[in-house]
Amino acid sequence: MNESINYPFKSKYKYIKDTGIKTEPYIKDYQLKTVKKLSKPDFSFEPYAYEMDIMFALNKAYLVLINVNTKYLIVEPIDYKSEYYVIKVIDKLVNKRNIRIETIKCDGEKAFISNAFKSYCNGEEQRYQLDKHTIKFKAPNKIKLIIDDSPFTNAHKCVDAVIRTLRNAFGQSQQRMTNNVLMQQMVEWYNNTPHSSLRLLNPLYTSFDE
């Protein structure tokens, strides 16, 4: 039987009114930093800049990217948090889905600071031997990689905030978060929900990065 989810993006007041549940309905993620309520919205002077991080749900991992200016969200499942799977996803986005990525901001995750990923972002071809087949990855253009792994900065608040939003949207069910069909439905809803900071319907079509 196919699983389904209800439209989740509602205020805490609306959640309590609809369900009658007054307790916190969310699973806490202690890896996420608290976003200050009065902090200024993020804006990048570098066009096509994305923040990137890895989100976990039980035994499932997702690579999460969000455009800093337009808030366009991409969530892709990865089999393991190694540089191979990160490069594979980025390569699919830029070469097959034709998503323009010129800057990636991320933390000090081992896969992100690996020499292979740095070389890929620098425009160098990466080769992997799998089952007697050689797999090649090469970005169509150089990608500027900005790594900030300081625990004292809030350098990646866009991706931290959207991961928190996704967790809140799924509520107490981490099991449902592992269902990529439901995850992509959630991403589609997110990308077609007006963002209060932008007042835009679909972040993909904004002219901020034009």
Side-chain angles (χ1 to χ4, degrees):
M1 185 173 68
N2 294 330
E3 286 191 84
S4 62
I5 47 178
N6 295 323
Y7 182 78
F9 300 114
K10 59 182 71 176
S11 67
K12 188 174 180 180
Y13 168 79
K14 185 75 164 56
Y15 176 89
I16 295 172
K17 183 179 178 181
D18 289 349
T19 65
I21 300 174
K22 296 184 179 180
T23 56
E24 191 68 31
Y26 312 131
I27 299 170
K28 294 185 181 297
D29 188 334
Y30 296 99
Q31 290 185 327
L32 296 178
K33 296 178 181 178
T34 302
V35 178
K36 296 179 181 178
K37 290 185 178 180
L38 298 179
S39 61
K40 295 181 179 179
D42 253 0
F43 182 83
S44 175
F45 289 100
E46 297 161 318
Y48 307 102
Y50 284 77
E51 288 185 11
M52 179 174 71
D53 204 352
I54 296 176
M55 176 177 67
F56 297 94
L58 299 179
N59 60 343
K60 187 87 169 184
Y62 293 97
L63 189 66
V64 181
L65 297 99
I66 185 167
N67 188 302
V68 177
N69 292 341
T70 69
K71 303 301 181 285
Y72 179 67
L73 175 63
I74 302 166
V75 180
E76 290 287 334
I78 53 177
D79 294 334
Y80 190 69
K81 59 174 187 175
S82 69
E83 75 274 2
Y84 167 77
Y85 292 104
V86 172
I87 292 172
K88 183 180 179 180
V89 167
I90 300 298
D91 195 77
K92 182 180 78 171
L93 295 177
V94 297
N95 284 315
K96 295 182 179 179
R97 290 180 55 181
N98 295 319
I99 294 177
R100 191 168 176 180
I101 301 176
E102 294 186 359
T103 301
I104 291 178
K105 301 179 179 181
C106 57
D107 59 16
E109 184 75 41
K110 188 178 292 186
F112 301 162
I113 63 175
S114 67
N115 290 331
F117 185 60
K118 289 179 179 178
S119 298
Y120 175 82
C121 291
N122 199 40
E124 300 173 22
E125 183 179 83
Q126 301 301 302
R127 297 187 178 193
Y128 293 88
Q129 196 72 28
L130 295 176
D131 298 327
K132 298 182 180 181
H133 297 286
T134 300
I135 300 176
K136 302 176 183 179
F137 301 116
K138 191 175 190 304
N141 54 269
K142 289 186 178 182
I143 299 172
K144 184 178 181 180
L145 187 60
I146 301 175
I147 299 171
D148 187 341
D149 57 357
S150 170
F152 304 107
T153 62
N154 197 15
H156 314 110
K157 63 182 180 182
C158 285
V159 73
D160 281 351
V162 78
I163 289 175
R164 186 179 294 104
T165 297
L166 290 172
R167 290 192 181 281
N168 290 352
F170 277 99
Q172 294 282 7
S173 179
Q174 285 212 55
Q175 187 63 46
R176 298 176 89 188
M177 284 187 69
T178 65
N179 186 326
N180 187 48
V181 174
L182 298 184
M183 180 61 70
Q184 296 312 315
Q185 183 181 346
M186 197 71 74
V187 171
E188 183 178 359
W189 275 339
Y190 180 90
N191 283 335
N192 286 279
T193 297
H195 292 254
S196 59
S197 61
L198 301 178
R199 299 181 185 277
L200 295 169
L201 179 60
N202 190 328
L204 180 60
Y205 301 113
T206 181
S207 60
F208 277 31
D209 279 339
E210 294 298 327

